[in-house]
Amino acid sequence: MGEQIMVKNPELVMHGITEKTPKNILLGAGTIFKNLTWDTGKNQFKFDKVLGATSGGSKFSIKNEFKDIEADGAVVKVKGLTLKYGQVAHLETNLLDISVDNLKIAMLGEEKASEMTGYKEIVPRAQLEAGDYIDNLAYVGRKADGSPVIIIMENALCTEGLELEGKNKNNSVLKVKFECYGDITSDLQTLPVKILIPEDEQKEGQ
């Protein structure tokens, strides 16, 4: 713990704004990348593709799952008697690009030959396949000072299916929700999720 701030009258502290506040404000909708990885040889990121243009932004969430141990005589939750037993991570976004690839991702589908000339036919599959898991999905946003925030969620599977809504005088979006899965070769104790921020900001918080 760093040196604490001494104050006689805390009610006189009118706000929490500091010189670091502008560096910590996240702006804009960000971009969703498919398979964003680090090339150690070239010392830069590489990726397969941008998932698509979005409308309505994106939402990332990690939810912790707890188990409260019940002990006779305690009628409140007790510090030290709560166990963390899991986490769930989701990435939701609204895609403007209703492309063949994005439709296949959303409905866990595949292309098949169509008897209707000039059309592609996309149909659901009966079974989940290894290729339905995306190696990673990355949300990349920027703070007010231009520095990046990168959230990488590995083994992402679209779990909400296909949802399209058409409205008069409004564009449609493909609403998709991805969930993060642990790799079967891992210890299966923690989710493969990471948040990257510039190193100088990490040092500031130490």
Side-chain angles (χ1 to χ4, degrees), residues 80-190:
L81 292 183
T82 296
L83 304 178
K84 175 188 169 186
Y85 71 87
Q87 281 182 323
V88 178
H90 293 108
L91 178 63
E92 303 174 54
T93 192
N94 304 288
L95 293 169
L96 271 174
D97 282 319
I98 306 175
S99 64
V100 170
D101 285 344
N102 287 337
L103 288 171
K104 287 163 62 178
I105 288 172
M107 65 188 293
L108 300 178
E110 62 185 359
E111 291 182 52
K112 62 174 292 187
S114 176
E115 64 182 16
M116 289 160 276
T117 304
Y119 289 89
K120 290 185 177 181
E121 192 167 319
I122 307 168
V123 297
R125 279 186 278 98
Q127 301 293 328
L128 191 64
E129 297 181 355
D132 293 323
Y133 293 91
I134 299 173
D135 289 345
N136 77 55
L137 278 182
Y139 165 87
V140 180
R142 289 197 174 275
K143 295 184 180 181
D145 67 345
S147 61
V149 174
I150 303 173
I151 302 172
I152 299 178
M153 187 174 77
E154 297 181 8
N155 304 318
L157 179 69
C158 185
T159 55
E160 288 287 302
L162 177 64
E163 180 180 347
L164 282 172
E165 183 177 2
K167 290 184 179 181
N168 191 35
K169 297 183 180 180
N170 282 279
N171 58 276
S172 295
V173 294
L174 178 59
K175 298 179 181 180
V176 288
K177 183 176 182 179
F178 296 91
E179 188 167 344
C180 179
Y181 286 77
D183 193 288
I184 199 168
T185 61
S186 69
D187 61 11
L188 301 180
Q189 299 299 303
T190 56

Side-chain angles (χ1 to χ4, degrees), residues 10-107:
E11 72 276 9
L12 298 180
V13 180
M14 304 301 293
H15 59 76
I17 302 172
T18 70
E19 66 278 3
K20 296 179 182 178
T21 298
K23 298 181 180 180
N24 293 323
I25 299 173
L26 191 63
L27 295 177
T31 308
I32 308 298
F33 292 85
K34 183 178 179 182
N35 297 328
L36 181 71
T37 58
W38 181 256
D39 188 319
T40 55
K42 296 183 178 179
N43 206 35
Q44 62 185 11
F45 286 101
K46 60 182 180 180
F47 61 94
D48 286 353
K49 61 182 291 188
V50 173
L51 200 61
T54 60
S55 178
S58 302
K59 178 182 176 182
F60 174 77
S61 64
I62 296 180
K63 295 183 179 180
N64 299 317
E65 298 175 335
F66 296 105
K67 169 64 179 177
D68 295 311
I69 305 300
E70 296 183 5
D72 291 341
V75 294
V76 298
K77 293 183 178 181
V78 180
K79 180 181 178 180
L81 292 183
T82 296
L83 304 178
K84 175 188 169 186
Y85 71 87
Q87 281 182 323
V88 178
H90 293 108
L91 178 63
E92 303 174 54
T93 192
N94 304 288
L95 293 169
L96 271 174
D97 282 319
I98 306 175
S99 64
V100 170
D101 285 344
N102 287 337
L103 288 171
K104 287 163 62 178
I105 288 172
M107 65 188 293

